[in-house]
Amino acid sequence: MHTLKQNLKLGSLFLATIFVGCSPKFTKETKEGFNLVKNENGATLGYSQDSGVSILTVDQMAFKDLNKNGTLDPYEDWRLTADERAKDLASKMSVEQIAGLMLYSAHQSIPGGGNSFFGAVTYNGKPYKESGAKPSDLSDAQKKFLLEDNLRHVLITSVESPGVSAQWNNNAQAMVEGIGLGIPINTSSDPRHGSDSYAEFNAGAGGKISMWPSTLGLAASFDPSLMQLFGKIASQEYRALGIATALSPQIDLATEPRWSRFDGTMGEDPKLAADMARAYVEGFQASENGDWGMQSVNAMVKHWPGGGPEEGGRDGHFGYGSYAVYPGKNLEDHLKPFTEGAFALEGPTKMATAVMPYYTISYEQDTKNGENVGNAYNKYLITDLLRGKYGYDGVVCTDWGITGDAPNVYEFRGKPWGVENLSVAERHYKIIEAGCDQFGGNNDMGPVIEAYQMGVEEHGEEYMRKRFETSAVRLLKNIFRTGLFENPYLDVAQTEKIVGNSEFMEAGYNAQLKSIVMLKNNEKTLPVENKKKVYVPQRYVAPTVNWFGVATQARTEHPFNMEVVAKYFEVVDNPDEADFALVGIENPNGGVGYDVTDTENGGNGYVPISLQYGTYTATNAREQSIAAGSPLEEGVDNRSYNGKTTTSINISDMSLVTDTKRKMGDKPVVVIVRVAKPLVFAEIESSADAILVHMGVQDQALMDIVSGKVEPSALLPFQMPKDMLTVEQQFEDVPRDMDPYTDTNGNSYDFSFGLNWSGVIDDERTQAYK
């Protein structure tokens, strides 16, 4: 090797190295705020003009001197494997640096707003609007957790624009590049490709980001290649926004029809969910050549070992939904989307690189220690089952906020189910001992350091140092694989060209069309000829309060963008003048399964979750719940809601359908239902001449189906129940075990059912999955 002559001048941005008889095989380019160095047959490097990082030249190639020691360390050598580099870097990190690496930030919007559920956001001590800060500036909290807590995993939510997101990324990366070992930020996102129903699609126009149906809607296509296309496009948009990890897909098997997170799943069938999960992860993780690259996005699949079988449909974000139950003894099916899907990729990335356990206590599933604690606290589920039996060595990150305190079972606060009596630091230690690597929603490294010291007291320094390095290697590999150590910077102008470009928008729109299911079509009501007269009744939206305590006021509104409808049909206000009616509703909102006012009346707080619009009394519910018990509700050893009554918040949707049918007489009524979970169609089906269901699409896509521009092709990825009796009798952990609803035409709304213009669809998809 030639002698390396180094310029170590403080603040040097570029290190020239002279080789006898040869010249460097790379070029340098200056961008706005950062430099690019392109190796002739190797990695492209990006580094900030202000970070103090310089370039080393070795073997005529360029490398970043991230720790500024003038030597090419193995972790700085892009020719080595991610595993080799991660092990070298982990060995160099302090306990405090590893503790910061094990944190995953609370939700960050760009720019940050004012007071919110997640706390006040300030810039130089002032609210954003008063601070004079740019939207791409870092907030005070972000500077603190990056600089003081060594945090390197950031979850972003809303962004003002793609360009602002890209510039924020560059600002944040430049800040951390210049300190310590130069470890870049691994930014992540929850799903952000949903559709704006009111937006119009123009094949030649772009948008802020491409719009797709939900994963449940994509599952309704029964086409894994479409799911993989989504992943391929979404990953390019993510990387252009600075996002290298997707907190998705949600591959919980949707075996409990009342669960509020049903719509984030890929349906209730193990084979379909596994195929879709595999396609999603393959699409996100594989770059241009099918292997890891600069378009790759780590997929964090959730929620191990499956969050679907929530008792009574109650959700684990709250103490009242802390238990997942298995009356059918069917944990096996819930593992399949992981073990046969996300962990069994056909391409070189091999398996999803990260896993998130759910909040729930998987009741009586710990066959080794008999512990009933939240999944991330359970050593059997994480170490023995996930890592041991299934050989998973990727990152395991807890769901958000599980180490915080919860005041009761019904507020959206901490979620330490099964370990409520432990301290915050003790919870961190138990999670580490269970085999997890990372703490979701935690910005403070203090409790992680405390947990480390607890481990030293119990096992000794050598054991805990090795344990921390094991997690550090897993976390670092995901940063190395995606090329962030080489170039974490973005060309803002290029970002604005990539995100939401016309090609991506068109692909998303076409996917929306393939996600709409036709359930009924009396006497070929659909398609309707263009410019026929349509009556669209307004829909009453009842007041609600979301999980974060944000209230929505009651209102009456058209269920569709009427400007879009008017481009297809002549809109009239009088049903007597109309040729047909178009009714837009949502599935019944039957509550969350807990009502604090019930406790004030001597009850236990637990009430039914209904899948029908009208009043429902749970006379056939279990008299004794399968699981119960929490120090947050003393004396409650039975969470049954047997005999209690509930009415869906949007019962007016049922009246809207029946009243419209009465007004229209013999003229056809087309009902379009946005579904987030199954519903009992018995209350409205006979009043509808045609029924379409969708899981989140643009109104224009619906009109393309109604008008016949496009033929419906989607299939139900779940069952529609006959009644609430079959809902109560089904097992939370067993797929496809309800009696499906049969309509007035004799069609059963079962898994894989759907109609096209010719009738019931029977093709290679139904043969493969039915």
Side-chain angles (χ1 to χ4, degrees):
M1 182 178 290
H2 299 288
T3 301
L4 184 66
K5 296 182 179 180
Q6 299 168 325
N7 174 9
L8 297 179
K9 183 179 178 181
L10 184 63
S12 171
L13 298 179
F14 190 78
L15 188 75
T17 304
I18 301 173
F19 288 88
V20 178
C22 60
S23 59
K25 295 182 178 179
F26 56 83
T27 58
K28 179 183 175 183
E29 181 182 348
T30 300
K31 293 282 189 178
E32 186 175 345
F34 65 97
N35 296 322
L36 277 182
V37 178
K38 298 181 180 179
N39 284 287
E40 188 175 302
N41 293 304
T44 295
L45 312 179
Y47 65 102
S48 169
Q49 294 160 0
D50 300 316
S51 67
V53 166
S54 58
I55 293 295
L56 300 170
T57 306
V58 177
D59 297 338
Q60 301 173 261
M61 292 175 284
F63 303 86
K64 292 163 69 173
D65 186 13
L66 290 166
N67 60 4
K68 308 182 185 70
N69 67 352
T71 301
L72 180 62
D73 295 286
Y75 87 90
E76 297 166 334
D77 190 343
W78 45 260
R79 298 169 299 183
L80 300 180
T81 66
D83 187 63
E84 291 171 318
R85 299 175 73 185
K87 287 177 179 175
D88 175 65
L89 179 52
S91 71
K92 291 175 166 62
M93 296 175 70
S94 68
V95 169
E96 288 76 15
Q97 287 170 326
I98 295 176
L101 194 67
M102 296 171 77
L103 302 174
Y104 224 127
S105 82
H107 300 68
Q108 307 292 312
S109 60
I110 303 172
N115 291 317
S116 70
F117 177 84
F118 299 104
V121 180
T122 61
Y123 293 77
N124 297 319
K126 298 179 180 179
Y128 170 68
K129 291 183 178 179
E130 300 173 14
S131 67
K134 297 177 183 177
S136 57
D137 287 350
L138 275 66
S139 70
D140 296 336
Q142 289 164 359
K143 291 176 183 176
K144 179 188 180 300
F145 64 57
L146 292 173
L147 297 176
E148 298 178 23
D149 293 287
N150 299 308
L151 184 148
R152 290 297 179 271
H153 292 79
V154 179
L155 169 60
I156 64 169
T157 55
S158 60
V159 296
E160 184 173 290
S161 69
V164 166
S165 180
Q167 188 58 58
W168 179 91
N169 169 82
N170 291 354
N171 294 342
Q173 297 290 7
M175 175 179 287
V176 300
E177 185 178 65
I179 58 176
L181 296 163
I183 299 172
I185 296 166
N186 183 353
T187 302
S188 73
S189 173
D190 282 312
R192 56 193 315 118
H193 281 85
S195 297
D196 177 355
S197 62
Y198 280 72
E200 288 191 66
F201 168 71
N202 181 323
K208 285 191 174 182
I209 198 164
S210 61
M211 292 190 282
W212 298 71
S214 66
T215 49
L216 186 62
L218 285 166
S221 72
F222 278 59
D223 181 1
S225 67
L226 184 63
M227 185 72 83
Q228 187 163 339
L229 175 65
F230 163 69
K232 181 179 179 181
I233 289 175
S235 66
Q236 293 176 63
E237 294 184 305
Y238 271 30
R239 290 308 298 266
L241 292 168
I243 299 166
T245 293
L247 298 189
S248 58
Q250 184 190 337
I251 59 176
D252 306 294
L253 201 60
T255 52
E256 169 47 58
R258 294 163 290 190
W259 187 31
S260 61
R261 299 196 68 182
F262 192 104
D263 62 333
T265 73
M266 297 177 180
E268 67 174 311
D269 182 73
K271 185 179 188 308
L272 178 63
D275 289 349
M276 289 292 179
R278 187 185 314 111
Y280 187 110
V281 176
E282 196 87 70
F284 265 87
Q285 292 191 169
S287 201
E288 302 96 324
N289 62 354
D291 209 336
W292 292 103
M294 296 303 292
Q295 286 184 3
S296 295
V297 172
N298 294 292
M300 185 182 290
V301 292
K302 53 191 187 184
H303 306 87
W304 179 264
E310 300 267 15
E311 183 163 22
R314 300 181 294 269
D315 183 68
H317 278 84
F318 302 87
Y320 59 69
S322 58
Y323 289 104
V325 295
Y326 298 83
K329 299 181 174 22
N330 190 34
L331 175 64
E332 181 182 356
D333 270 349
H334 292 266
L335 302 182
K336 287 179 180 178
F338 297 90
T339 61
E340 298 178 14
F343 298 168
L345 307 186
E346 297 170 358
T349 68
K350 296 182 180 178
M351 63 174 60
T353 60
V355 172
M356 182 189 295
Y358 204 38
Y359 297 113
T360 46
I361 297 168
S362 294
Y363 189 62
E364 295 187 346
Q365 297 308 298
D366 181 348
T367 58
K368 184 176 182 179
N369 306 307
E371 268 201 308
N372 283 313
V373 291
N375 294 326
Y377 291 99
N378 192 295
K379 189 170 185 177
Y380 169 76
L381 292 176
I382 305 302
T383 294
D384 296 318
L385 193 63
L386 177 60
R387 297 208 187 279
K389 182 175 181 179
Y390 294 108
Y392 185 77
D393 194 39
V395 169
V396 178
C397 177
T398 75
D399 212 329
W400 261 234
I402 73 166
T403 59
D405 292 325
N408 49 55
V409 298
Y410 55 84
E411 286 187 58
F412 190 81
R413 296 295 173 186
K415 302 155 186 65
W417 312 141
V419 294
E420 291 90 345
N421 294 326
L422 297 181
S423 71
V424 170
E426 286 170 337
R427 291 169 193 159
H428 281 75
Y429 182 48
K430 187 170 180 63
I431 288 167
I432 292 169
E433 288 285 86
C436 297
D437 306 294
Q438 200 165 29
F439 304 94
N442 293 12
N443 297 354
D444 180 5
M445 75 173 180
V448 187
I449 299 297
E450 287 186 67
Y452 181 85
Q453 295 303 327
M454 291 176 185
V456 170
E457 291 176 12
E458 181 175 356
H459 300 291
E461 185 85 39
E462 182 180 355
Y463 170 92
M464 280 309 290
R465 175 70 203 192
K466 183 179 179 182
R467 174 66 188 86
F468 262 43
E469 284 192 29
T470 297
S471 285
V473 169
R474 291 172 181 145
L475 291 159
L476 290 168
K477 282 198 289 189
N478 288 357
I479 307 177
F480 279 115
R481 286 180 180 124
T482 49
L484 291 171
F485 274 89
E486 277 57 72
N487 182 22
Y489 297 97
L490 300 170
D491 183 323
V492 175
Q494 192 65 16
T495 289
E496 291 170 338
K497 289 180 181 178
I498 292 172
V499 180
N501 69 59
S502 60
E503 179 186 347
F504 293 172
M505 295 293 288
E506 184 169 10
Y509 186 77
N510 288 335
Q512 293 177 45
L513 294 169
K514 294 177 181 178
S515 73
I516 300 166
V517 186
M518 184 164 69
L519 295 181
K520 185 177 182 181
N521 195 20
N522 266 3
E523 299 178 1
K524 297 190 182 299
T525 296
L526 299 179
V528 179
E529 294 177 10
N530 276 3
K531 295 308 174 185
K532 284 224 171 182
K533 294 180 180 179
V534 63
Y535 168 64
V536 182
Q538 291 195 334
R539 176 175 180 258
Y540 171 72
V541 180
T544 57
V545 178
N546 69 11
W547 286 0
F548 303 108
V550 178
T552 301
Q553 300 302 314
R555 64 190 186 277
T556 300
E557 63 185 15
H558 279 115
F560 310 108
N561 182 337
M562 297 309 293
E563 291 182 5
V564 170
V565 175
K567 291 182 179 180
Y568 292 79
F569 309 106
E570 183 183 343
V571 178
V572 296
D573 295 328
N574 187 344
D576 294 336
E577 300 174 6
D579 297 309
F580 76 108
L582 197 56
V583 183
I585 59 173
E586 296 184 2
N587 61 260
N589 182 348
V592 297
Y594 190 88
D595 185 354
V596 69
T597 62
D598 180 70
T599 62
E600 297 168 1
N601 297 317
N604 62 0
Y606 294 89
V607 294
I609 298 175
S610 180
L611 299 183
Q612 67 183 39
Y613 294 102
T615 299
Y616 166 63
T617 301
T619 55
N620 295 289
R622 295 185 185 110
E623 294 185 4
Q624 174 67 48
S625 65
I626 294 173
S630 168
L632 302 176
E633 49 177 10
E634 293 184 17
V636 178
D637 57 2
N638 184 7
R639 293 184 168 188
S640 173
Y641 49 83
N642 182 276
K644 294 184 182 179
T645 298
T646 190
T647 302
S648 287
I649 295 169
N650 59 330
I651 186 175
S652 58
D653 278 354
M654 176 177 67
S655 301
L656 189 65
V657 175
T658 55
D659 289 351
T660 301
K661 182 59 181 175
R662 177 180 52 78
K663 292 175 181 177
M664 293 297 292
D666 294 332
K667 293 183 289 187
V669 174
V670 177
V671 176
I672 298 178
V673 193
R674 174 167 183 158
V675 297
K677 59 173 74 171
L679 68 147
V680 176
F681 266 99
E683 296 168 306
I684 61 172
E685 179 266 321
S686 62
S687 297
D689 297 280
I691 299 173
L692 298 173
V693 300
H694 69 99
M695 300 84 174
V697 299
Q698 292 168 256
D699 291 341
Q700 187 173 348
L702 296 170
M703 296 308 112
D704 277 350
I705 297 286
V706 172
S707 67
K709 184 176 180 180
V710 177
E711 184 173 18
S713 61
L715 308 166
L716 284 177
F718 53 84
Q719 294 179 307
M720 293 292 187
K722 174 184 177 181
D723 49 33
M724 283 302 297
L725 173 62
T726 193
V727 172
E728 296 289 2
Q729 292 178 337
Q730 58 90 35
F731 286 164
E732 285 92 336
D733 60 325
V734 177
R736 299 165 58 174
D737 64 339
M738 293 189 292
D739 293 328
Y741 178 74
T742 299
D743 70 12
T744 51
N745 295 326
N747 288 320
S748 179
Y749 294 177
D750 204 349
F751 171 82
S752 79
F753 172 75
L755 301 172
N756 57 22
W757 302 145
S758 301
V760 178
I761 297 172
D762 183 11
D763 57 18
E764 65 279 359
R765 298 172 301 159
T766 57
Q767 298 303 316
Y769 291 104
K770 190 170 184 178

